Amino acid sequence: MQRGVHAILYAFFGPDETLDRAAMRRQAERCIAADVAGIAALGLATEVQKLSFAERLVLMDWVAEDVNGRLPLGFTIYGQSVAEQVAMVRHAEAAGATWLILQPPQAGSYAADEYISFFGRVMGETALPCAIQNAPQYLGRGLSDDDIGVLRRRHANFEVIKAEAPAEDAARLRTMAGPDFRVFNGRGGLGMIACLDGGCDGFLLAPDAVDYGVEAMRLYDDGQRAAAQAVHERALPAITFIMRSIEHLICYGKRLFAARAGLAVFDRAPALRPEAAELAALDLLVRDLGPFPLARESLYRPT
C-alpha cells in the first residue's frame, strides 16, 4: 500500500437521485490532478449504505475506468454476509483493484471472535492486500489491538489498518503493528501532522480539502514540518466544520468539494438537508480554500 494521501470519493447523484456518471468522472479526474497517492471508493463518504449491490458494482467499474491504471485503486468491501462481501471482492478484482478495505457487517453485535472469523474468511478468498476499517465510533464496532494481531498472524495479506483515530491512538497502532504493516488514518485529516509524527503511513480522505492534505504530507516528507503544519492549518477550519459527523461530511463536505470543483449536488434521501446558516459558513470556507485543486503556489499566501 503506497504511502501518501489517498482520496475516497463521494457518491454524486443527479436530480432523480440516480448515480451521475459525468460527475463521478469529473471528481476522479480532479483528485488525480491534485496528485493524490491513490483513489478509493465505496466507503462511508461514498454513502455505500444507500447504494444497492448493483450500484456498488457499477461504481467500481466507473472508477476503475476513470483511474485507468494511473494510480493505486482501492474499494471498500461492504456487505452483510461473507458471500455478499466475497461477491464484491470478485468484482473488485475483475475491475482492477490493487487493494481492498473490509468493513464489518451491520448484522448485529457479536463477540470479537465472530468478527475475526468473518474478516478472515473474506481475506482468505483473495490475494489482494487487505485493510480493515476500524472505526467503532462510526460503525458501532471495531477490533482491539489483540484482535488485529490475531488476524495479522493468520492472514499475510492483511497489510493495512484504516483507523479513524486521534493521533495518540494512531501512534499506538503504529508501534504495535511493526514495520511491515501500514497504518492509515482518516477523520478528514484532523491532527494530520501529529499523526505523521506518530508514524502514520498515510491518510484516506474525502476530496473536499484533499489537495491541502497532499501538499501538507509532501512537505512533511521533504523535511519541511513547519510548512506542512502551516498548510494543514489553512484547511483546518474546513476540516473541523465538515467532520462533525458522517452525515455532516456527506451534506457539507460534498458541497465544499463541489463548489471548489464546479459540480452540482443532489442528495439521495434520506439525507441531512443543508441549512442556510451552515451554507453561509460553507461559502466562506470555499472562498478561503480556493478552486480545486489549488495551485501549489497559492497555498502559501499570507493568512
Side-chain angles (χ1 to χ4, degrees):
M1 181 56 187
Q2 183 171 322
R3 177 179 173 86
V5 176
H6 298 238
I8 180 83
L9 302 183
Y10 288 116
F12 275 89
F13 304 103
D16 61 356
E17 299 191 16
T18 61
L19 289 166
D20 185 329
R21 177 68 183 104
M24 293 300 300
R25 179 183 288 117
R26 184 175 178 87
Q27 177 182 205
E29 289 293 345
R30 288 300 181 99
C31 288
I32 292 168
D35 292 328
V36 296
I39 298 287
L42 297 177
L44 295 174
T46 323
E47 298 172 75
V48 65
Q49 297 172 7
K50 293 183 185 178
L51 303 177
S52 70
F53 183 80
E55 286 175 321
R56 285 176 256 152
L57 303 188
V58 166
L59 270 188
M60 284 187 189
D61 292 339
W62 287 358
V63 176
E65 180 182 350
D66 295 338
V67 173
N68 194 27
R70 289 179 285 177
L71 293 174
L73 175 63
F75 291 118
T76 297
I77 302 302
Y78 169 86
Q80 304 313 312
S81 68
V82 171
E84 184 180 2
Q85 292 209 359
V86 170
M88 285 196 67
V89 168
R90 291 287 173 265
H91 199 88
E93 291 171 334
T98 56
W99 68 297
L100 306 172
I101 309 116
L102 307 185
Q103 258 191 25
Q106 294 185 305
S109 180
Y110 304 108
D113 286 349
E114 193 66 23
Y115 291 113
I116 291 171
S117 174
F118 184 96
F119 285 130
R121 289 173 64 191
V122 178
M123 286 181 192
E125 292 290 333
T126 182
L128 286 177
C130 290
I132 288 178
Q133 184 166 15
N134 207 36
Q137 70 273 46
Y138 299 140
L139 299 173
R141 62 193 60 82
L143 297 175
S144 69
D145 292 359
D146 288 343
D147 299 335
I148 292 168
V150 169
L151 274 167
R152 289 203 62 214
R153 289 190 294 272
R154 293 180 182 174
H155 300 278
N157 62 332
F158 178 28
E159 299 182 11
V160 184
I161 193 74
K162 168 54 171 59
E164 302 285 349
E168 59 270 21
D169 291 343
R172 188 197 73 255
L173 281 170
R174 173 71 277 167
T175 301
M176 178 275 296
D180 59 341
F181 191 69
R182 295 207 178 261
V183 175
F184 274 61
N185 211 356
R187 301 179 73 226
L190 287 170
M192 173 179 274
I193 305 305
C195 287
L196 289 169
D197 288 342
C200 270
D201 299 289
F203 300 84
L204 198 60
L205 307 179
D208 32 82
V210 74
D211 47 344
Y212 282 82
V214 168
E215 181 64 3
M217 190 163 179
R218 184 192 71 82
L219 289 166
Y220 186 95
D221 285 350
D222 284 347
Q224 302 180 61
R225 187 185 184 282
Q229 182 72 55
V231 169
H232 182 256
E233 287 176 357
R234 278 280 310 282
L236 190 57
I239 297 169
T240 303
F241 175 77
I242 65 175
M243 285 306 299
R244 296 178 191 172
S245 67
I246 293 298
E247 292 76 16
H248 211 265
L249 168 71
I250 291 166
C251 178
Y252 296 104
K254 189 190 297 188
R255 283 173 167 81
L256 176 59
F257 170 73
R260 297 185 66 209
L263 291 166
V265 174
F266 301 95
D267 297 309
R268 173 178 279 190
L272 178 68
R273 304 298 178 174
E275 298 180 2
E278 300 281 64
L279 288 175
L282 193 68
D283 285 344
L284 296 177
L285 295 171
V286 170
R287 186 175 66 187
D288 187 58
L289 292 181
F292 187 102
L294 194 65
R296 180 171 291 173
E297 58 270 18
S298 300
L299 290 166
Y300 306 106
R301 72 178 188 268
T303 56

